[in-house]
């Protein structure tokens, strides 16, 4: 129940603080009718199916222009790879990621539901909470780190405008791991991001339209400057001086770097249902996502070219763009360089902001919506993510927590099996047939309740997925000595986890079939066209979803008479 209508914002705040009961009344969502449902957890109505092929293409093309993509290939060259090998590794990792993303987006596109609800099908009504929480924690951490990176770019912009700002004395103790300039930039990044948190995910595609156009132009400008100033590319300038290792060692080095690239994409592979649910049709998410992500090779190539040219000029390898831009100011603080660095830093600040939304804020918001559906929707979740990300002092993570960063870099071994289990469950176990109404009930007899709300098959497959690379992961901290075989299995991390987890889950479901075998026996995706009634009485027809999977006529939802609506509610009451 909402506060009395007609109150101003100040009056609503006063009403909320007048008593605990009124506070609860104010923050509770009218759309939340139970522990498993609110407006952002139900299937998206046609009015929110706004993402077409160009939306997804712009999203992934823009997402390719990130600090990590710029630096990943050039850092591989420094480890002894040729530029061609490094770019091929990045390309194949992005192609594989794009294929996995499309398959993991199928269920969301067909049923228009996000990852938190889809995970109930695979892991169980209550078991899904662990996997949702696993992703939300990571979203908070990296959301803070990306916010800090955005602040560094803003500090560089201010250094371009005000020489006094660049030369400002640092009044913050060195032990805190951040300078005064970067602290100011971090706070401004926080303030800049606040208004965008009020925008629902379905409308954020415009941010990616702008980023997909702006960043390639800026990246090309940086490459042209670097090659012109250097008089050429000098691709060998960042290559290490030591000899190329033996074939086996070099092969596993390539595998390790491939795994690193997959690890950097692992969060996106899990996140995609939260975006695919807004697709206008199957074609939109398939074409847009298959083409968009592999194009990141352009950003990686730009990073290689720029890093090598600058290394040849100044003898320093700047792997990431914020160090590069700061280095330009240190070497040439002229009017021309300040203007160029200012616009480049502004563009990369915007790019980092977009990356944070795509990889961290949106997934976290979707996750907490599932964890606290009565009080949090996606917009509230976005604000919560920003506030917590600001509060965790992310610069300390970057400067003083080496082992923690090692953990985050190896986190992909836990994500690989999560994705493969969901893909196997949808395509091979259930044959694309999901019972929408059963996703929103915690009754012991529900199809997705399994054993005490947990699908033990999926949990065991998840453990099997990360068990093989786990010893090598532990050894990567330097606190334990592991065998070369264990280290090499960790180098295979994400692909190994993905393959073992998926295969184990399929075998477990063959030996111990999941509930609802009558659904699994139907033709592929036959249940997409089935009618459904949710426990709160919302029916498929009432939401305006036609049987052919396309948007119903504008008046069809309104034409559902009171008798049919009451009938739908009565059926829901019986099921509840």
């Amino acid at each position: 129940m909402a506060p009395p209508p007609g109150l101003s914002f100040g009056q609503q705040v006063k009403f909320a603080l007048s008593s605990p009961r009124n506070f609860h009344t104010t923050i509770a969502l009218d759309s939340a009718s139970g522990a498993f449902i609110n407006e952002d957890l139900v299937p998206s109505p046609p009015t929110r199916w706004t993402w077409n092929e160009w939306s997804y293409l712009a999203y992934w093309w823009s997402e390719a222009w990130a600090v990590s993509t710029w630096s990943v290939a050039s850092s591989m060259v420094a480890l002894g790879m040729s530029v061609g090998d490094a770019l091929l590794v990045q390309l194949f990792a992005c192609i594989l990621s794009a294929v996995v993303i499309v398959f993991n987006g199928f269920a969301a596109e067909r049923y228009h539901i996000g990852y938190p609800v889809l995970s109930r099908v695979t892991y169980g009504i209550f078991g899904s909470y662990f996997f949702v929480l696993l992703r939300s924690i990571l979203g908070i951490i990296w959301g803070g780190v990306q916010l800090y990176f955005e602040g560094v770019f803003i500090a560089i912009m201010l250094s371009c405008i005000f020489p006094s700002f660049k030369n400002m004395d640092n009044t913050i103790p060195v032990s805190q791991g951040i300078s005064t300039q970067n602290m100011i930039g971090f706070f401004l990044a926080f303030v800049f991001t606040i208004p965008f948190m009020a925008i629902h995910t379905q409308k954020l595609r415009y941010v990616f339209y702008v980023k997909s156009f702006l960043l390639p132009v800026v990246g090309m400008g940086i490459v042209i400057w670097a090659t012109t100033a250097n008089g050429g590319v000098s691709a060998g300038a960042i290559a290490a001086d030591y000899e190329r290792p033996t074939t086996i060692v070099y092969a596993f080095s390539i595998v390790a770097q491939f795994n690193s690239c997959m690890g950097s994409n692992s969060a996106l592979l899990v996140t995609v249902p939260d975006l695919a649910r807004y697709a206008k049709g199957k074609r939109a998410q398939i074409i847009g996502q298959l083409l968009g992500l592999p194009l990141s090779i352009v950003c990686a190539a730009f990073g290689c070219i720029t890093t090598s040219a600058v290394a040849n000029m100044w003898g320093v390898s700047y792997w990431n763009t914020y160090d590069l831009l700061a280095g330009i100011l240190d070497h040439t603080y002229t009017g021309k360089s300040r203007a160029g660095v200012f616009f480049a830093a502004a563009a990369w600040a915007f790019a980092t902001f977009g990356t944070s939304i795509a990889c961290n804020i949106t997934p976290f918001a979707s996750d907490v919506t599932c964890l606290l559906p009565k009080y949090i929707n996606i917009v509230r979740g976005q604000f919560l993510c920003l506030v917590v990300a600001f509060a965790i002092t992310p610069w300390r993570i970057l400067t003083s927590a080496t082992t923690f960063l090692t953990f985050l870099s190896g986190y992909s071994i836990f994500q690989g099996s999560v994705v493969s289990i969901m893909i196997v469950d949808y395509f091979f176990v259930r044959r694309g047939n999901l019972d929408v109404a059963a996703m929103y009930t915690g009754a012991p007899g529900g199809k997705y309740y399994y054993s005490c709300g947990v699908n033990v098959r999926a949990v065991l497959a998840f453990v099997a997925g990360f068990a093989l690379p786990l010893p090598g992961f532990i050894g990567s901290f330097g606190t334990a000595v592991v065998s070369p075989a264990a280290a090499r299995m960790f180098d295979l991390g994400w692909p190994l986890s993905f393959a073992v987890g998926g295969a184990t889950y399929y075998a477990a479901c063959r030996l111990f079939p999941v509930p609802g075998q009558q659904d699994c026996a139907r033709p592929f995706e036959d249940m997409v066209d089935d009618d459904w009634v949710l426990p709160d009485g919302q029916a498929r027809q009432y939401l305006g979803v036609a049987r052919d999977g396309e948007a119903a006529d504008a008046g069809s939802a309104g034409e559902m008479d009171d008798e049919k609506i009451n009938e739908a509610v009565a059926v829901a009451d019986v099921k509840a």
Side-chain angles (χ1 to χ4, degrees):
M1 180 179 180
L7 298 181
S8 64
F9 177 75
Q11 291 173 328
Q12 289 183 34
V13 173
K14 184 177 180 180
F15 173 82
L17 298 178
S18 61
S19 71
R21 179 185 179 87
N22 289 343
F23 180 79
H24 179 271
T25 299
T26 302
I27 66 172
L29 296 171
D30 290 338
S31 62
S33 56
F36 306 105
I37 189 169
N38 71 15
E39 60 185 306
D40 287 319
L41 292 176
V42 299
S44 300
T47 54
R48 290 187 173 182
W49 303 356
T50 56
W51 286 55
N52 57 25
E53 293 92 336
W54 292 107
S55 303
Y56 289 106
L57 180 61
Y59 172 83
W60 291 111
W61 169 240
S62 69
E63 190 51 38
W65 293 89
V67 174
S68 59
T69 309
W70 179 276
S71 62
V72 65
S74 55
S75 63
M76 291 183 200
V77 175
L79 295 175
M81 282 190 186
S82 67
V83 172
D85 287 347
L87 293 178
L88 281 175
V89 168
Q90 173 75 0
L91 176 61
F92 284 123
C94 288
I95 291 175
L96 177 58
S97 297
V99 172
V100 173
I101 281 170
V102 167
F103 278 106
N104 198 32
F106 253 80
E109 179 274 321
R110 298 300 280 155
Y111 291 90
H112 298 282
I113 48 182
Y115 168 75
V117 176
L118 280 176
S119 62
R120 295 172 183 171
V121 175
T122 304
Y123 298 104
I125 292 293
F126 299 124
S128 63
Y129 288 149
F130 171 78
F131 296 92
V132 168
L133 187 63
L134 202 64
R135 190 183 69 160
S136 63
I137 292 174
L138 202 63
I140 281 290
I141 295 170
W142 284 118
V145 171
Q146 293 289 347
L147 188 66
Y148 172 72
F149 287 161
E150 184 183 346
V152 172
F153 284 118
I154 292 177
I156 293 173
M157 293 168 58
L158 294 176
S159 295
C160 294
I161 301 174
F162 307 108
S164 58
F165 183 86
K166 183 178 185 300
N167 300 317
M168 179 187 301
D169 292 333
N170 181 28
T171 58
I172 299 177
V174 177
S175 60
Q176 296 302 310
I178 189 172
S179 65
T180 302
Q181 292 96 325
N182 287 343
M183 176 61 83
I184 294 173
F186 179 66
F187 178 75
L188 292 177
F190 173 76
V191 173
F192 169 79
T193 307
I194 289 176
F196 291 90
M197 297 300 94
I199 303 175
H200 195 278
T201 307
Q202 64 174 24
K203 299 178 181 178
L204 286 173
R205 65 190 187 281
Y206 298 111
V207 172
F208 306 115
Y209 287 154
V210 175
K211 183 183 173 184
S212 65
F213 172 78
L214 177 64
L215 265 295
V217 174
V218 173
M220 178 61 75
I222 294 176
V223 169
I224 293 174
W225 164 81
T227 53
T228 303
N230 183 51
V233 176
S234 302
I238 58 173
D241 294 332
Y242 52 81
E243 296 182 359
R244 179 168 169 159
T246 63
T247 302
I248 294 179
V249 174
Y250 188 68
F252 271 97
S253 174
I254 290 180
V255 170
Q257 297 307 318
F258 178 83
N259 179 59
S260 177
C261 292
M262 292 302 299
S264 66
N265 293 333
S266 63
L268 298 173
L269 305 184
V270 178
T271 298
V272 67
D274 293 327
L275 299 175
R277 67 182 297 189
Y278 302 115
K280 287 186 175 180
K282 187 186 299 184
R283 176 185 173 90
Q285 78 107 5
I286 292 177
I287 295 178
Q289 300 191 135
L290 273 181
L291 296 179
L293 191 57
L295 291 175
S296 65
I297 192 66
V298 177
C299 181
F302 282 6
C304 270
I305 294 170
T306 302
T307 302
S308 60
V310 172
N312 189 63
M313 285 191 301
W314 296 336
V316 180
S317 297
Y318 294 109
W319 311 117
N320 55 64
T321 47
Y322 50 82
D323 282 342
L324 171 64
L325 297 178
I328 293 174
L329 293 182
D330 291 337
H331 283 84
T332 56
Y333 195 72
T334 63
K336 183 183 294 186
S337 64
R338 287 162 60 188
V341 169
F342 173 84
F343 289 111
W348 279 102
F350 181 73
T352 306
F353 158 75
T355 299
S356 185
I357 289 179
C359 300
N360 307 306
I361 294 176
T362 294
F364 175 86
S366 298
D367 291 342
V368 295
T369 297
C370 169
L371 297 174
L372 293 170
K374 191 171 184 177
Y375 304 103
I376 299 180
N377 55 19
I378 284 181
V379 171
R380 289 183 181 183
Q382 290 176 164
F383 277 107
L384 179 62
C385 182
L386 181 63
V387 171
V388 178
F390 179 82
I392 64 173
T393 59
W395 55 87
R396 298 186 69 87
I397 296 175
L398 294 172
T399 58
S400 63
T402 304
T403 55
F404 189 61
L405 290 177
T406 302
F407 168 77
L408 291 178
S409 65
Y411 190 80
S412 62
I413 69 170
F414 302 102
Q415 298 282 67
S417 57
V418 172
V419 177
S420 65
I421 291 169
M422 293 185 69
I423 292 176
V424 168
D425 187 61
Y426 183 75
F427 284 95
F428 301 106
V429 175
R430 305 184 190 279
R431 294 173 48 81
N433 292 306
L434 307 181
D435 187 335
V436 174
M439 302 178 195
Y440 299 92
T441 176
K447 291 179 183 177
Y448 308 129
Y449 190 81
Y450 302 105
S451 300
C452 301
V454 179
N455 184 359
V456 179
R457 308 165 192 78
V459 173
L460 290 177
F462 168 70
V463 173
F466 70 75
L468 289 177
L470 183 61
F473 175 52
I474 296 173
S476 67
F477 291 91
T479 56
V481 178
V482 297
S483 66
R488 287 176 177 174
M489 279 194 287
F490 178 59
D491 290 340
L492 288 167
W494 190 93
L496 183 62
S497 174
F498 181 88
V500 173
T504 303
Y505 182 70
Y506 181 75
C509 290
R510 294 285 291 181
L511 293 172
F512 307 99
V514 297
Q517 285 298 299
Q518 68 276 16
D519 296 343
C520 303
R522 294 174 64 172
F524 183 73
E525 290 188 337
D526 187 51
M527 292 180 67
V528 170
D529 292 330
D530 282 2
D531 292 329
W532 40 257
V533 180
L534 302 185
D536 66 347
Q538 294 189 73
R540 176 184 181 133
Q541 302 96 322
Y542 188 53
L543 288 175
V545 184
R547 289 182 61 82
D548 61 359
E550 300 297 333
D553 294 336
S556 62
E559 292 170 0
M560 188 178 182
D561 56 35
D562 292 340
E563 181 180 351
K564 291 183 178 180
I565 294 176
N566 292 334
E567 180 182 349
V569 173
V571 171
D573 290 339
V574 171
K575 289 188 175 183

